[in-house]
Amino acid sequence: MNIAMWSGPRNLSTAMMYSFGARADCAIWDEPYYAAYLAATGIDHPMASEIIARYETDPARIAAACAQPAPGGEPHYYQKHMPHHMEPQFELPWLDTAVHVFLIRHPARVLASYHAKRQNPVLSDIGVAAQSLLFDRIAAETGRAPVVVDSGDVRADPQSVLSRLCARIGLPFDPAMLSWPAGGNAADGIWGRHWYGAIHRSTGFAGPEGALPKVPPALHHVLEAALPPYERLRALAI
């Protein structure tokens, strides 16, 4: 089974990748289209030139690989995707070869976390609007609505939410998904040096989140634009 997990940045996406990667029966792939997105847009991201030099930038080749089984022969292949990496010219003929899950997080939390790493994000940086549009596209092209998971629910009760998620996608729950070794994963993209510091120190999901953080006034317009697509997907969360 190929599992396409669609998440914006700072959404618990790497922790979820580590969770599935802790299973003996599952290979993981970290943001297959990141280098292609950087090459196509020229956007200023940390380590952009290094990422473009090291990883595949041809979206057609990436698409072909996304449709294939795990290269190591594992029965399941977890692919961590970012909806905002999908440029309009990137064709996605592999969509019907995967089970799709959407990982969401309240935009106030995303903005506060993202702003600490890369200041003054715009709506397209955090991916939630792209998530909402892609949700509809996948449902239309595959005939199946993707499963939606809220990262806040995962942190509040990892075992319960992961058990429900596995049941929805036809995968037996494995308690190994609740923990992983500290220090990162060999499948991490090199961008992990900039973005993954906290998760590299972790050995499992952090506890429940507290009150929503304060978003800087300069980002209030981004928050207002991000709330409707988030709330639309939140209503569908398992």
Side-chain angles (χ1 to χ4, degrees), residues 203-219:
T203 57
F205 292 101
E209 297 180 291
L212 289 176
K214 292 184 178 179
V215 173
L219 297 179

Side-chain angles (χ1 to χ4, degrees), residues 180-184 199-203:
W180 48 82
I199 189 66
H200 284 173
R201 295 187 293 272
S202 75
T203 57

Side-chain angles (χ1 to χ4, degrees), residues 21 63 67 70 78 90 103 134 158-159 233:
Y78 181 100
F90 292 1
L103 180 65
L134 188 63
Q159 181 166 341
L233 294 175

Side-chain angles (χ1 to χ4, degrees), residues 180-207:
W180 48 82
N185 190 291
D188 288 348
I190 61 171
W191 49 86
R193 297 201 302 267
H194 179 83
W195 296 100
Y196 295 175
I199 189 66
H200 284 173
R201 295 187 293 272
S202 75
T203 57
F205 292 101

Side-chain angles (χ1 to χ4, degrees), residues 3-6 17 28-38 51 55-59 61-63 65-67 77-82 85-86 90 94 187 189 191 196:
I3 304 163
M5 177 67 79
W6 298 94
M17 182 178 74
I28 57 177
W29 190 2
D30 191 10
E31 300 185 29
Y33 284 88
Y34 192 16
Y37 163 73
L38 294 174
I51 294 165
Y55 296 99
E56 180 61 67
T57 59
D58 183 342
R61 291 183 178 180
I62 300 167
C66 286
Y77 195 13
Y78 181 100
Q79 301 169 7
K80 172 190 167 190
H81 292 290
M82 297 278 171
H85 290 173
M86 303 300 113
F90 292 1
W94 57 271
W191 49 86
Y196 295 175

Side-chain angles (χ1 to χ4, degrees), residues 13-210:
S13 57
T14 307
M16 288 290 281
M17 182 178 74
Y18 284 6
S19 174
F20 277 82
R23 300 176 62 109
D25 61 357
C26 190
I28 57 177
W29 190 2
D30 191 10
E31 300 185 29
Y33 284 88
Y34 192 16
Y37 163 73
L38 294 174
T41 63
I43 192 170
D44 181 20
H45 268 213
M47 304 178 64
S49 60
E50 295 176 65
I51 294 165
I52 291 169
R54 180 160 176 174
Y55 296 99
E56 180 61 67
T57 59
D58 183 342
R61 291 183 178 180
I62 300 167
C66 286
Q68 297 302 310
E74 296 87 349
H76 307 299
Y77 195 13
Y78 181 100
Q79 301 169 7
K80 172 190 167 190
H81 292 290
M82 297 278 171
H84 61 293
H85 290 173
M86 303 300 113
E87 286 296 291
Q89 69 271 28
F90 292 1
E91 296 183 359
L92 304 176
W94 57 271
L95 291 180
D96 63 357
T97 69
V99 173
H100 297 274
V101 183
F102 278 56
L103 180 65
I104 61 174
R105 190 184 190 197
H106 194 286
R109 300 190 189 280
V110 176
L111 285 167
S113 179
Y114 194 103
H115 181 67
K117 288 288 187 178
R118 180 171 177 262
Q119 292 188 347
N120 300 316
V122 297
L123 182 63
S124 59
D125 287 325
I126 64 171
V128 65
Q131 270 187 314
S132 184
L133 293 172
L134 188 63
F135 181 95
D136 292 336
R137 176 180 174 181
I138 291 173
E141 292 191 16
T142 68
R144 302 181 302 275
V147 180
V148 179
V149 179
D150 194 302
S151 65
D153 296 335
V154 176
R155 286 186 51 172
D157 193 345
Q159 181 166 341
S160 175
V161 176
L162 290 173
S163 295
R164 295 202 305 273
L165 170 58
C166 288
R168 288 286 297 270
I169 65 176
L171 186 68
F173 172 71
D174 184 342
M177 299 175 72
L178 298 175
S179 63
W180 48 82
N185 190 291
D188 288 348
I190 61 171
W191 49 86
R193 297 201 302 267
H194 179 83
W195 296 100
Y196 295 175
I199 189 66
H200 284 173
R201 295 187 293 272
S202 75
T203 57
F205 292 101
E209 297 180 291

